[in-house]
Amino acid sequence: MPARRAGALTVCTKRTRTEWSAGSLWVSRVGGELSLKGEEDEEGGSERTCVGTRVKAHPNELERFVLFEDELVWDMRRRAPGRGVYVSATPEALKAAVERGGFARGFKRKVKSPSADELIAQVRDGVAKRLSERMQVCVRSREVAIGTEALKEGMKEGWVGLILIASDAGSSTRKRFEENARRKNVEISQVLDGARLGAISGRDFVSVLGLKGGDRAVELLRDVDILRGFGAI
């Protein structure tokens, strides 16, 4: 299994698929937030139990871990071969999985793992990298409109499904696109600042950008929410 070592944690970086197959995943809105729903995946069943919190969720809402020679491997893209266990993408769940024996119970054997603090830091940094990679895929696929003029055109053409507005964008920019998004029922996120939006999209500073609706946008938004939960943005 192709992997690289990141401190005390091995991270699987194997790429076998860059997006979820059509028909296996869809998006529903629950309490104003996006929720992932899906059919049965290759391991059977549409839900997994977090080994840290015991909460059930669809696999795509959790982070997947596998074993490689008894060593814990974070399957960053959820496509590594072998039996996997799942953990909610929060510091609390990761800490519980390490310190309360969740990984050992899930794999039904002893597990070599980093400390909880090391695991939390490595997953946080890895998700930040994954977010940048997802955005670059969108840029290369021409599924993103960067800047106010490009976004206005994308909204007019009707293909924008997610708008990212910089947390430090000007009030007039924010108001204009908030109102437009509400009229067209387009999801909005205002978590990342302009420098971070620029960094992940290959620019110096971006006040607003739009993404084509679909799996890639949902995956990207999930990573933004994870980083917010880690206090990384």
Side-chain angles (χ1 to χ4, degrees), residues 5-10 71 114 118 122:
R5 183 171 299 277
L9 176 69
T10 300
E71 186 173 350
E118 289 172 329
Q122 289 159 0

Side-chain angles (χ1 to χ4, degrees), residues 27-53:
V27 183
S28 64
R29 191 178 299 278
V30 181
E33 297 182 356
L34 292 180
S35 176
L36 304 181
K37 303 294 180 183
E39 298 171 357
E40 291 190 0
D41 64 6
E42 63 272 19
E43 291 185 333
S46 60
E47 287 191 332
R48 293 288 180 272
T49 300
C50 168
V51 298
T53 64

Side-chain angles (χ1 to χ4, degrees), residues 2 13 41 44 60 62 66 89-90 97 110 124 140 150 169 198-199 216 221:
T13 58
D41 64 6
N60 288 317
L62 306 169
V66 297
T90 67
K110 290 184 178 180
R124 178 199 65 213
R140 290 194 298 270
R216 287 176 179 150
L221 185 58

Side-chain angles (χ1 to χ4, degrees), residues 1 12 14-21 24 41-42 60 64 66 75-82 86 219:
M1 174 174 53
C12 176
K14 181 178 181 180
R15 294 175 182 264
T16 59
R17 190 162 62 183
T18 58
E19 60 180 18
W20 299 316
S21 60
S24 67
D41 64 6
E42 63 272 19
N60 288 317
R64 184 174 186 264
V66 297
D75 182 12
M76 188 167 70
R77 296 180 181 88
R78 308 182 193 92
R79 290 293 177 261
Y86 293 80
E219 292 171 328

Side-chain angles (χ1 to χ4, degrees), residues 54 131 226:
R54 311 303 296 170
L131 171 63
I226 290 172

Side-chain angles (χ1 to χ4, degrees), residues 59-142:
N60 288 317
E61 295 180 299
L62 306 169
E63 294 301 319
R64 184 174 186 264
F65 292 81
V66 297
L67 283 185
F68 181 61
E69 297 179 353
D70 293 329
E71 186 173 350
L72 189 67
V73 176
W74 175 37
D75 182 12
M76 188 167 70
R77 296 180 181 88
R78 308 182 193 92
R79 290 293 177 261
R83 172 182 172 82
V85 302
Y86 293 80
V87 184
S88 299
T90 67
E92 297 78 13
L94 291 166
K95 182 178 177 69
V98 172
E99 297 184 349
R100 299 177 187 172
F103 286 120
R105 286 195 304 273
F107 287 113
K108 297 180 173 60
R109 59 194 293 185
K110 290 184 178 180
V111 175
K112 298 176 183 177
S113 70
S115 70
D117 288 343
E118 289 172 329
L119 182 61
I120 289 167
Q122 289 159 0
V123 170
R124 178 199 65 213
D125 294 345
V127 170
K129 177 182 178 182
R130 188 171 66 191
L131 171 63
S132 295
E133 291 176 351
R134 294 197 197 286
M135 180 61 77
Q136 289 306 309
V137 170
C138 292
V139 170
R140 290 194 298 270
S141 302
R142 299 185 179 181

